[in-house]
Amino acid sequence: MSETNSAAAETAPAATETAAPHRYTAAMAADIEARWQDVWAAEGTYEAPNPTGDLAGDPALVARPKKFIMDMFPYPSGAGLHVGHPLGYIATDVFARHQRMTGHNVLHTLGFDAFGLPAEQYAVQTGTHPRASTEANMENMKVQLRRLGLGHDTRRSFATIDPDYYRWTQWIFVQIFNSWYDEEADKARPIDELVAQFESGRRAMPDGRPWSALDAVERADVLGEYRLAYTSDAPVNWCPGLGTVLANEEVTAEGRSERGNFPVFKRKLRQWNMRITAYADRLLADLDALDWPDAIKAQQRNWIGRSEGARVDFPVGDADAITVFTTRQDTLFGATYMVLSPEHELVERIVPAAWPADTHAVWTGGHATPAEAVDAYRKQAASKSDVERQAEAKDKTGVFTGAYATNPVSGEPVPVFIADYVLMGYGTGAIMAVPAHDSRDFAFARAFELPMRCVVEPSDGRSADPAEWDEAFASYDAKLINSTSDDIALDGLGVADAKARITDWLAARGIGEGTVNFRLRDWLFSRQRYWGEPFPIVYDEDGVAHPLPESMLPLELPEVDDYSPRTFDPDDADTQPEPPLSRKQDWVDVELDLGRGEGVRRYRRETNTMPNWAGSCWYELRYLDPHNSEKLVDPAVEQYWMGPREGQPHGGVDLYVGGAEHAVLHLLYARFWSKMLFDLGHISSVEPFHKLYNQGMIQAFVYRDSRGIAVPATEVEERDGGYWHQGAEVTRVLGKMGKSLKNAVTPDEICAEYGADTLRLYEMAMGPLDVSRPWDTRAVVGQYRLLQRLWRNVVDETTGEVTVVDTEPSEETLRALHKAVDGVAQDMAGLRFNTAIAKVTELNNHLTKVGGPVSRTVAERLVLLVAPLAPHIAEELWRKLGHTDSVVHQDFPVADPAYVVDDTVTCVVQVKGKVKARLEVPASISDAELEALVLGEAAVVAAVGGATIRKVIVRAPKLVNIVV
């Protein structure tokens, strides 16, 4: 059938389909897909054997090279999937199928990250228990995902809300609680080893007293300074409108809750923290060996934020000192004021009762006393997020505390301010301000009429008087000036030498030292929510925290009548959290024997729950050994799938695919837990994910009316060069796809109209996997037609009989086949599925164009090429071609190199810069042979026209340029 007739047939009405009862249609696709999904499930087609344990299997398959392929954990939303969600799932499925066909034992499965705020809020709104709604959502998503033909080992699937799963999340928390970071060994070690050091005197106690002299509370306080999981009065994001503390990532740049858009305030609360900062250097260093996008590595490095500098003490008052961390200790002589974070603990102690004499009016904020000024400013700062506070605002805000510190090098008094651009989350929460050489300090100094001193010689022609400047001068390639006192001289030194000299000077006097600082802060691990993992912690009568013994795990989340934390007036910053679990007194107050030789005692349970990050910090390990009730994971199984090997020195998952929005937090937290578990000997992999790939986003057009409200995309008409909805013109912008934007297209709709294989092909063909692209339902038909042509090249649409023949294909067809095989194999390995589909299409079109029955050897290879991309139709055609085994585990075709290289290529001949001839020449022709051939060609001789040939430039076999 010609291309023209083929296209016509594919768009023909139902009458034509009646005349072709065996034509590939949506109805046939639905039947084929459902049947093969049932077969795969019944036969365990995608089950990957472990080397040992309950999932052990065929030793021959275990002996193959392994591939562990993962998607980022999905959250079971009540809205179900739209077509943007499966992009990554289909991609990993295609890659996993190709890896099976190239001789690998492939582990590929999918679970659900099912704790968290959305389910809890839905429960509050509807009165439905979050477990009920979450489990219903999971069942719906499982149906949708199954329909896509994803080759998951379903035996390994789980949800984070399963007690059998979060038992081990709680167990890991106990391991972290019972560990400390030994800086000498550069690893985590059991806390009992630290206690033994204190008991024996090998490690001095912080206050000099012997360990035996401390009571239980004092010992707990000492160990709390070392434990990897500890409680502290931490500054948190308190959202009264939601009644809960939020993580930084749950707060918008406007200082409001991402969910509900309520105001968020900074408060200090007793919270659980993870000492991730102990691993900062290792988290940085180990990035180098990971196969991750450079942009993601850069984001992680920036988040960790390692910087070398010095700690410097500025005396203030009679007994206190303000400690700052600075990377420019060489500019100490230029420090003319200081700034504390509004939350800094010293603020209350240094604020005097009255303003000092001659205090500038602009410093007071119009308040009668320093205490009033500080209190008012702190409330103002509490309403801003960290992002807002760090933004480059035009107007700098702050207020004088009324106190002065002493510059340790010059001896001069410097006023101490509080300002929201300084955060407790970085350094010490205090800065020495050198306004002549820092842009933010410069702007603040101008706003508050503060002095400036130039201590780095300008190299851009400006004077050394900052009063004449419009901006700060910052340079690392300059000499120090105005930096000499009776005790130290830095004048004339370069920055590096000045840093070294001043650092030694500070250390010798005990008022500072060289140090390394990190932007990374310890991980706030508490949430005032119901729907999360309970902490396996109880408190005794003295408030000392004790972990539950392993025999008491899992500590299951109890049933409660009210799932909602107590909410308050959204603007009332002075309220306190009341977690839902705190109201269940019969669960909170318990009598337990913790097996510590103390018998039964009364305890109070922790009423906060873990953040939803907890369950996704280690889920890759549970996929390996999902039914193990004795260990976190069998060491032999973990070593097999994730252990270090050539090219993967830190071990980890072979391919991890997900969105770039998790570039920092989830990945950083998971890396931290892996390193801790490795240190304690529970796993062999130092890193969880060796190769990371970020897929792009499927976008959709959003249509909004004159009020800015989204209208249903399916109801919009395009006419007169514009877009119209119910008679009114609307605007169109490209954005996210989602139910709230009324532009979501579900995979169910596309599967019903075209089949799952068509959806899979379209999503993979839309463009490079790592690039965002717009959805266009009208374009889906192109991949539907590809499958129809593929079907028609093997099956007679009228009789349903296979039409292939056992004859040798032509030379031309062999070349087309092997070029496609070679190209598709390379594209599959490189996750370039869009170009792989283009090569399959080209081969299929070649067969259609040549016409006549297709050779069996070509048809079978074509089906195998398509199998990873469109597995259902591939299985059906493979069976029709006479095979009884599944296409899933067939060998992927291998190209014959002799057919991949063209016998001839087209050589372009230019004379005077214009194309004058095109010659078919052997691909292996030499420069000399090609030049002789071209100069004897009649068209070239005519073009030269007897002129003198000055030069012949030959680029065999594709180009000859003649200069006359």
Side-chain angles (χ1 to χ4, degrees):
M1 184 181 291
S2 71
E3 283 290 300
T4 304
N5 290 338
S6 170
E10 286 150 9
T11 55
T16 305
E17 294 190 5
T18 304
H22 297 280
R23 187 166 181 243
Y24 184 82
T25 61
M28 178 185 285
D31 173 66
I32 290 171
E33 290 162 4
R35 279 193 290 106
W36 280 107
Q37 288 160 16
D38 288 342
V39 170
W40 295 332
E43 297 183 356
T45 300
Y46 303 107
E47 293 178 358
N50 279 347
T52 186
D54 69 314
L55 299 185
D58 182 359
L61 189 51
V62 172
R64 293 181 175 185
K66 63 88 190 178
K67 282 290 180 185
F68 184 6
I69 299 165
M70 268 182 62
D71 301 278
M72 287 190 182
F73 238 176
Y75 190 87
S77 163
L81 300 176
H82 60 62
V83 292
H85 291 125
L87 178 66
Y89 307 149
I90 295 171
T92 53
D93 185 62
V94 173
F95 183 74
R97 290 174 179 279
H98 176 255
Q99 292 297 298
R100 288 190 192 95
M101 297 177 75
T102 52
H104 293 82
N105 182 20
V106 177
L107 192 166
H108 189 214
T109 191
L110 195 71
F112 294 93
D113 189 12
F115 275 127
L117 187 59
E120 180 173 281
Q121 289 194 317
Y122 183 77
V124 171
Q125 294 164 7
T126 65
T128 306
H129 194 287
R131 177 175 290 279
S133 60
T134 302
E135 289 181 343
N137 295 343
M138 285 192 292
E139 288 307 309
N140 180 49
M141 284 184 67
K142 286 177 183 177
V143 170
Q144 289 185 299
L145 292 168
R146 185 181 193 269
R147 192 170 184 180
L148 296 174
L150 302 178
H152 293 152
D153 184 347
T154 55
R155 304 171 304 166
R156 299 174 183 266
S157 184
F158 57 81
T160 55
I161 61 175
D162 299 339
D164 285 347
Y165 180 79
Y166 69 73
R167 166 199 176 177
W168 292 104
T169 307
Q170 293 171 336
W171 181 88
I172 293 172
F173 178 86
V174 171
Q175 308 312 303
I176 299 173
F177 176 79
N178 283 333
S179 301
W180 64 293
Y181 201 86
D182 184 344
E183 293 184 358
E184 292 183 5
D186 200 20
K187 62 182 290 189
R189 295 172 61 186
I191 199 76
D192 289 344
E193 295 183 15
L194 178 64
V195 172
Q197 291 182 18
F198 284 140
E199 287 178 334
S200 67
R202 285 188 294 119
R203 179 181 290 267
M205 288 289 296
D207 64 358
R209 291 188 296 162
W211 180 258
S212 58
L214 275 62
D215 62 27
V217 174
E218 291 172 324
R219 291 180 177 182
D221 288 343
V222 169
L223 294 180
E225 296 299 315
Y226 292 86
R227 292 186 188 274
L228 289 179
Y230 65 95
T231 57
S232 71
D233 290 319
V236 298
N237 301 306
W238 166 234
C239 181
L242 290 175
T244 188
V245 166
L246 301 176
N248 287 337
E249 64 273 7
E250 295 165 334
V251 181
T252 69
E254 291 73 35
R256 305 180 76 84
S257 62
E258 189 175 54
R259 190 166 291 272
N261 197 37
F262 293 111
V264 175
F265 304 93
K266 283 292 183 185
R267 292 289 307 279
K268 275 197 172 182
L269 293 172
R270 197 74 176 169
Q271 302 282 290
W272 281 99
N273 299 269
M274 293 278 180
R275 206 179 299 275
I276 190 174
T277 50
Y279 284 85
D281 271 323
R282 287 170 62 184
L283 288 167
L284 268 178
D286 289 349
L287 280 171
D288 292 338
L290 299 181
D291 185 4
W292 286 18
D294 289 340
I296 302 299
K297 288 185 179 183
Q299 288 183 61
Q300 290 238 333
R301 291 188 180 105
N302 182 62
W303 191 268
I304 296 167
R306 187 183 192 277
S307 53
E308 296 184 10
R311 176 187 59 78
V312 186
D313 294 334
F314 283 68
V316 58
D318 296 330
D320 286 316
I322 298 174
T323 301
V324 303
F325 170 80
T326 175
T327 59
R328 290 301 303 268
Q329 59 268 39
D330 56 303
T331 64
L332 256 171
F333 280 93
T336 57
Y337 67 97
M338 302 190 75
V339 182
L340 300 181
S341 164
E343 299 85 10
H344 200 289
E345 61 180 8
L346 276 179
V347 174
E348 287 91 346
R349 298 209 297 268
I350 66 174
V351 172
W355 293 115
D358 302 323
T359 296
H360 289 300
V362 72
W363 294 6
T364 69
H367 295 279
T369 66
E372 290 177 15
V374 167
D375 182 62
Y377 189 80
R378 280 179 140 182
K379 289 181 178 178
Q380 174 187 329
S383 67
K384 295 182 180 180
S385 70
D386 287 356
V387 175
E388 279 185 294
R389 288 170 59 169
Q390 288 282 282
E392 289 291 341
K394 182 179 179 181
D395 298 322
K396 295 298 179 185
T397 65
V399 70
F400 180 40
T401 62
Y404 284 85
T406 301
N407 186 317
V409 292
S410 68
E412 296 176 355
V414 291
V416 181
F417 284 74
I418 59 172
D420 59 14
Y421 75 90
V422 177
L423 305 177
M424 281 304 299
Y426 180 68
T428 63
I431 66 165
M432 64 174 209
V434 185
H437 306 294
D438 179 272
S439 59
R440 287 192 305 175
D441 294 347
F442 184 94
F444 191 92
R446 281 286 164 86
F448 288 89
E449 301 174 11
L450 288 157
M452 301 188 200
R453 179 181 295 113
C454 175
V455 294
V456 180
E457 185 175 36
S459 56
D460 58 0
R462 72 176 77 184
S463 74
D465 182 3
E468 300 175 5
W469 299 356
D470 294 324
E471 60 184 2
F473 173 75
S475 175
Y476 282 87
D477 186 21
K479 294 187 181 304
L480 274 293
I481 59 174
N482 300 327
S483 298
T484 296
S485 69
D486 294 340
D487 294 326
I488 186 170
L490 303 180
D491 288 346
L493 296 178
V495 171
D497 291 339
K499 280 186 175 184
R501 182 173 295 184
I502 192 67
T503 301
D504 291 343
W505 185 87
L506 292 166
R509 285 155 181 75
I511 56 174
E513 62 180 348
T515 188
V516 174
N517 194 61
F518 294 90
R519 186 184 305 275
L520 180 67
R521 297 295 90 195
D522 281 343
W523 175 13
L524 179 65
F525 202 70
S526 294
R527 298 293 184 272
Q528 291 68 42
R529 298 175 184 154
Y530 167 71
W531 194 233
E533 296 93 338
F535 281 92
I537 292 289
V538 292
Y539 300 91
D540 62 24
E541 295 92 333
D542 296 320
V544 175
H546 301 276
L548 294 179
E550 188 172 338
S551 61
M552 291 186 181
L553 303 181
L555 172 60
E556 295 198 30
L557 193 62
E559 296 291 328
V560 297
D561 296 326
D562 183 3
Y563 317 116
S564 58
R566 182 184 172 191
T567 58
F568 303 89
D569 180 334
D571 296 307
D572 190 351
D574 295 325
T575 48
Q576 289 283 348
E578 292 182 16
L581 289 178
S582 67
R583 296 192 287 267
K584 191 168 180 59
Q585 288 301 317
D586 60 343
W587 182 84
V588 174
D589 297 317
V590 290
E591 294 186 351
L592 300 172
D593 182 351
L594 299 182
R596 302 163 58 90
E598 301 170 339
V600 175
R601 293 180 61 184
R602 289 192 60 79
Y603 295 97
R604 176 178 55 84
R605 294 195 193 277
E606 172 63 70
T607 57
N608 288 325
T609 53
M610 299 186 197
N612 65 318
W613 301 108
S616 61
C617 271
W618 72 280
Y619 69 122
E620 72 283 353
L621 297 173
R622 193 61 175 174
Y623 283 152
L624 307 181
D625 201 9
H627 311 133
N628 197 330
S629 59
E630 303 300 320
K631 293 181 179 179
L632 179 74
V633 59
D634 185 309
V637 172
E638 190 272 337
Q639 173 70 45
Y640 174 81
W641 288 111
M642 290 188 63
R645 62 203 65 222
E646 185 177 354
Q648 297 179 209
H650 300 316
V653 174
D654 297 288
L655 176 65
Y656 191 37
V657 174
E661 64 271 18
H662 297 298
V664 173
L665 297 171
H666 156 60
L667 294 173
L668 201 63
Y669 297 157
R671 296 180 65 214
F672 163 47
W673 278 33
S674 283
K675 292 181 186 305
M676 183 277 306
L677 291 170
F678 171 81
D679 288 354
L680 298 178
H682 299 299
I683 60 176
S684 67
S685 48
V686 185
E687 288 282 342
F689 314 115
H690 171 69
K691 180 177 177 64
L692 174 69
Y693 191 97
N694 294 129
Q695 90 256 12
M697 180 188 301
I698 290 183
Q699 300 169 304
F701 287 112
V702 183
Y703 299 89
R704 297 187 183 276
D705 62 19
S706 58
R707 300 166 297 170
I709 297 174
V711 301
T714 55
E715 298 175 8
V716 173
E717 296 179 74
E718 182 177 357
R719 56 185 169 85
D720 303 328
Y723 304 95
W724 301 80
H725 177 255
Q726 297 180 354
E729 192 166 12
V730 294
T731 59
R732 184 182 83 161
V733 295
L734 190 61
K736 289 184 177 181
M737 180 180 286
K739 186 176 180 181
S740 64
L741 298 173
K742 300 180 182 178
N743 61 356
V745 178
T746 69
D748 299 354
E749 298 171 55
I750 304 302
C751 288
E753 190 168 356
Y754 298 105
D757 279 339
T758 294
L759 174 62
R760 290 170 60 100
L761 279 174
Y762 176 65
E763 294 217 359
M764 294 299 96
M766 291 172 74
L769 182 59
D770 58 350
V771 174
S772 294
R773 73 295 301 269
W775 176 267
D776 183 359
T777 299
R778 295 170 300 180
V780 176
V781 71
Q783 301 308 317
Y784 181 53
R785 289 172 178 168
L786 167 61
L787 294 181
Q788 289 183 317
R789 289 172 186 151
L790 170 65
W791 181 266
R792 194 161 49 245
N793 278 327
V794 178
V795 178
D796 185 286
E797 292 183 334
T798 302
T799 66
E801 297 297 317
V802 171
T803 59
V804 301
V805 293
D806 294 319
T807 58
E808 284 299 308
S810 67
E811 180 89 359
E812 182 186 11
T813 294
L814 280 173
R815 292 197 176 280
L817 169 66
H818 287 281
K819 282 185 178 181
V821 168
D822 180 62
V824 171
Q826 293 183 51
D827 289 342
M828 288 283 186
L831 303 177
R832 298 184 297 272
F833 304 128
N834 59 318
T835 53
I837 292 170
K839 292 176 175 69
V840 168
T841 303
E842 186 177 351
L843 173 60
N844 198 50
N845 288 346
H846 167 81
L847 298 176
T848 302
K849 183 178 180 181
V850 169
V854 176
S855 167
R856 174 177 291 277
T857 184
V858 176
E860 290 186 345
R861 285 173 172 80
L862 176 58
V863 168
L864 293 174
L865 288 181
V866 168
L869 295 155
H872 308 91
I873 193 173
E875 286 278 28
E876 188 73 6
L877 291 175
W878 191 247
R879 185 60 57 90
K880 285 183 175 293
L881 286 167
H883 302 281
T884 57
D885 48 356
S886 171
V887 75
V888 169
H889 294 287
Q890 299 303 310
D891 290 338
F892 199 77
V894 177
D896 185 337
Y899 290 107
V900 173
V901 179
D902 284 324
D903 268 355
T904 63
V905 296
T906 300
C907 176
V908 175
V909 183
Q910 293 181 333
V911 180
K912 300 179 185 179
K914 295 183 179 179
V915 177
K916 294 299 182 180
R918 285 185 172 87
L919 307 177
E920 290 297 314
V921 300
S924 58
I925 194 169
S926 68
D927 284 359
E929 290 171 331
L930 182 56
E931 181 176 346
L933 178 65
V934 166
L935 293 178
E937 176 67 24
V940 174
V941 172
V944 172
T948 301
I949 297 176
R950 292 174 51 201
K951 186 186 294 185
V952 179
I953 302 169
V954 182
R955 298 287 184 267
K958 294 185 176 181
L959 177 67
V960 175
N961 190 10
I962 299 173
V963 182
V964 300

